Amino acid sequence: MEIADFAVNEFQRGAGTKSFPCPECSDQRSNKNKSRKCLRITFEDDAAVWFCHNCEAKGTVKIESDWPPPRQTSESPLRVVSDPEEITTSKLRQLSEWRGFDFSSLPDKVIENVLFSKDVYFPSSQDRREAIGFLYPDEGIKWRSLKGKHYIQSGAAKSPWLSDLVVGKRIVLTEGEFDALSFISSGISDVISLPGGANSKSECLETFRMMMEDGELEEVIIACDADEPGKKVTKFLVNFFDRDKVRVIDWS
């Protein structure tokens, strides 16, 4: 069973975060770990959001308002994000100090795709924190905590981040949104971030492969991480695109 189907079957409106064995990876674990509850699912009023601490699968699924029927619960409704807002100049300065590059140099059309919230709930830390949100073309938002490496997603982020802003003959592919922003702050504008990082599927890049076949796109530069997941996705991308038109950045 896929996690999305499992989350729908277990859905409890507004019931908060609960732990389960993961339907996608627990059967593949050793006998002593099969029953470990590595999957955290946050049940909101109209969605379920999950993260698996073993296979690192993450995602969300929207729930129709009239199904499943509400269950009785004594817990108060839990929202992942409270009142996201546009990012301010002072917050941009704070981010510049935090990440080590100048956010003020980013074009307005890029900044419009960056949000801020003082109050985002992260299942991995089981508390609320200040966070930066990255608005994807399909209206999904990825939230990353300002303190700690916590992550959650609201809505479905399927298309690469900033892919709707690409206009040139060359694109740079990164695994993360901050990686993309660092390139843009350095003057390299046509950069996109893979929606699932090292776990991205080929469907999200099909448009760019078609553009390459039609001559609209001449070169793809792969700028993924130098760790093992990054090397794996780099190998996949080289095979996915025309090898003669692909360049790979060697971070070593």
Side-chain angles (χ1 to χ4, degrees), residues 15 27 34 45 49 87 129 177 183 192 199 229 239:
D27 285 345
K34 282 183 183 295
D45 285 344
V49 183
I87 197 162
R129 300 177 179 226
E177 297 86 5
F183 273 99
I192 64 176
N199 297 315
N239 292 326

Side-chain angles (χ1 to χ4, degrees), residues 71-143:
R71 299 181 187 179
Q72 293 297 321
T73 175
S74 59
E75 300 179 55
S76 59
L78 176 66
R79 301 300 299 174
V80 170
V81 182
S82 299
D83 302 324
E85 55 194 68
E86 292 184 2
I87 197 162
T88 62
T89 302
S90 62
K91 188 58 63 177
L92 285 175
R93 283 197 298 267
Q94 180 182 340
L95 283 173
S96 298
E97 296 173 1
W98 175 43
R99 299 299 303 195
F101 61 87
D102 188 6
F103 271 74
S104 66
S105 66
L106 298 174
D108 289 342
K109 63 181 181 179
V110 173
I111 293 296
E112 290 171 1
N113 291 278
V114 182
L115 303 174
F116 172 73
S117 177
K118 301 175 182 176
D119 191 25
V120 178
Y121 180 82
F122 292 96
S124 56
S125 62
Q126 296 190 355
D127 60 8
R128 292 183 174 274
R129 300 177 179 226
E130 288 188 329
I132 295 299
F134 299 96
L135 178 62
Y136 274 67
D138 36 30
E139 301 301 318
I141 303 176
K142 283 188 178 183
W143 292 97

Side-chain angles (χ1 to χ4, degrees), residues 41-240:
I41 302 180
T42 298
F43 298 105
E44 304 181 6
D45 285 344
D46 58 359
V49 183
W50 65 84
F51 177 78
C52 177
H53 289 270
N54 181 52
C55 66
E56 298 187 349
K58 49 200 171 188
T60 184
V61 61
K62 298 290 288 183
I63 306 295
E64 296 294 334
S65 59
D66 57 350
W67 190 91
R71 299 181 187 179
Q72 293 297 321
T73 175
S74 59
E75 300 179 55
S76 59
L78 176 66
R79 301 300 299 174
V80 170
V81 182
S82 299
D83 302 324
E85 55 194 68
E86 292 184 2
I87 197 162
T88 62
T89 302
S90 62
K91 188 58 63 177
L92 285 175
R93 283 197 298 267
Q94 180 182 340
L95 283 173
S96 298
E97 296 173 1
W98 175 43
R99 299 299 303 195
F101 61 87
D102 188 6
F103 271 74
S104 66
S105 66
L106 298 174
D108 289 342
K109 63 181 181 179
V110 173
I111 293 296
E112 290 171 1
N113 291 278
V114 182
L115 303 174
F116 172 73
S117 177
K118 301 175 182 176
D119 191 25
V120 178
Y121 180 82
F122 292 96
S124 56
S125 62
Q126 296 190 355
D127 60 8
R128 292 183 174 274
R129 300 177 179 226
E130 288 188 329
I132 295 299
F134 299 96
L135 178 62
Y136 274 67
D138 36 30
E139 301 301 318
I141 303 176
K142 283 188 178 183
W143 292 97
R144 300 191 182 278
S145 62
L146 289 185
K147 293 184 179 180
K149 294 184 177 181
H150 301 288
Y151 159 88
I152 200 169
Q153 180 173 307
S154 57
K158 297 180 180 180
S159 301
W161 190 58
L162 301 181
S163 59
D164 53 337
L165 301 182
V166 171
V167 295
K169 295 284 188 178
R170 177 186 70 181
I171 59 170
V172 178
L173 299 178
T174 71
E175 279 185 62
E177 297 86 5
F178 283 118
D179 294 336
L181 291 179
S182 67
F183 273 99
I184 296 170
S185 72
S186 301
I188 301 172
S189 58
D190 288 322
V191 185
I192 64 176
S193 174
L194 301 174
N199 297 315
S200 295
K201 308 299 182 183
S202 60
E203 291 83 356
C204 72
L205 296 168
E206 193 62 45
T207 298
F208 294 102
R209 181 158 68 175
M210 293 175 62
M211 289 173 61
M212 183 169 279
E213 290 175 354
D214 293 340
E216 299 176 48
L217 186 63
E218 296 178 353
E219 186 178 49
V220 173
I221 297 177
I222 302 171
C224 295
D225 297 345
D227 56 13
E228 286 306 312
K231 292 177 182 177
K232 184 177 179 180
V233 75
T234 295
K235 183 178 179 180
F236 159 75
L237 291 170
V238 168
N239 292 326
F240 182 77

